[in-house]
Amino acid sequence: MPGGNTYTRRLVVAFELPTHVRQRLTGLAEALVDDVPDARSVPAEHLHSTICVLGACDEERLPGLAASLFDAVRDHDILTTGLGAPVGRPRTSAARLCAIPLTDPTGEMARVCMRIGAELADVCTRSPDERPPWPHVTIARFSRPTRMRRFLHYEGEHVFAIDRITLYDS
């Protein structure tokens, strides 16, 4: 581009969900949308668990970003996790989204998230988050603050493996 400008992307690092988990979450989201008039479900192909939002990243830095991401995760095994009970965020009394937390019985998922955040801190514009990681999947968004009721039937933890991490361009 003239003037040395490069295309800037807003990047997100996320755990990739298995197809059967996406299908289960899509069913939960559809039940929610049926019960709450202003709810919009997240399409199945967009369901993922965000590890960290990297913010703006120049396209020329993508090769370094990919290498740093690989370095951050190359030594970890497949993660075992499960689906927790639905929660409203930022709070149940005035939720803007419905999320399903991922369980982390061994603490390994939190360690992977922290390692990724630290490894990628210098690559893009956003500093690593100082809050503890909260791996979750957003299944629906509300157009206005909504009181979350127990409209989603929670069937207990559904255990599955995560073996892929993805870089999303949002």
Side-chain angles (χ1 to χ4, degrees):
M1 287 182 131
N5 294 332
T6 59
Y7 176 71
T8 301
R9 299 170 180 255
R10 182 184 175 273
L11 300 175
V12 173
V13 179
F15 291 123
E16 190 72 31
L17 301 172
T19 302
H20 72 279
V21 173
R22 288 177 190 233
Q23 291 169 341
R24 182 181 177 119
L25 294 174
T26 299
L28 285 173
E30 288 170 358
L32 176 66
V33 169
D34 288 345
D35 195 39
V36 179
D38 68 335
R40 296 179 326 275
S41 62
V42 175
E45 64 272 13
H46 294 204
L47 292 173
H48 62 274
S49 179
T50 299
I51 298 169
C52 60
V53 177
L54 298 176
C57 185
D58 292 334
E59 200 165 299
E60 65 195 24
R61 298 182 86 180
L62 290 179
L65 173 69
S68 294
L69 183 56
F70 177 77
D71 288 343
V73 299
R74 75 171 145 203
D75 294 330
H76 86 81
D77 294 326
I78 294 174
L79 299 172
T80 300
T81 187
L83 300 176
V87 295
R89 291 292 180 168
R91 60 188 183 280
T92 303
S93 62
R96 293 306 302 246
L97 62 87
C98 178
I100 307 296
L102 298 183
T103 62
D104 188 13
T106 66
E108 183 61 20
M109 186 178 296
R111 286 188 287 279
V112 169
C113 291
M114 304 267 295
R115 193 169 33 218
I116 289 170
E119 186 72 35
L120 302 180
D122 296 332
V123 179
C124 290
T125 59
R126 186 165 184 214
S127 299
D129 204 337
E130 299 203 9
R131 295 174 294 178
W134 184 57
H136 67 281
V137 182
T138 299
I139 64 166
R141 298 186 184 283
F142 306 117
S143 58
R144 63 177 190 262
T146 300
R147 180 172 203 71
M148 289 264 308
R149 296 172 284 143
R150 293 189 175 266
F151 38 66
L152 292 178
H153 177 66
Y154 178 61
E155 298 174 5
E157 188 174 304
H158 175 80
V159 177
F160 60 97
I162 293 178
D163 61 358
R164 292 179 43 172
I165 294 177
T166 303
L167 185 63
Y168 282 93
D169 181 359
S170 65

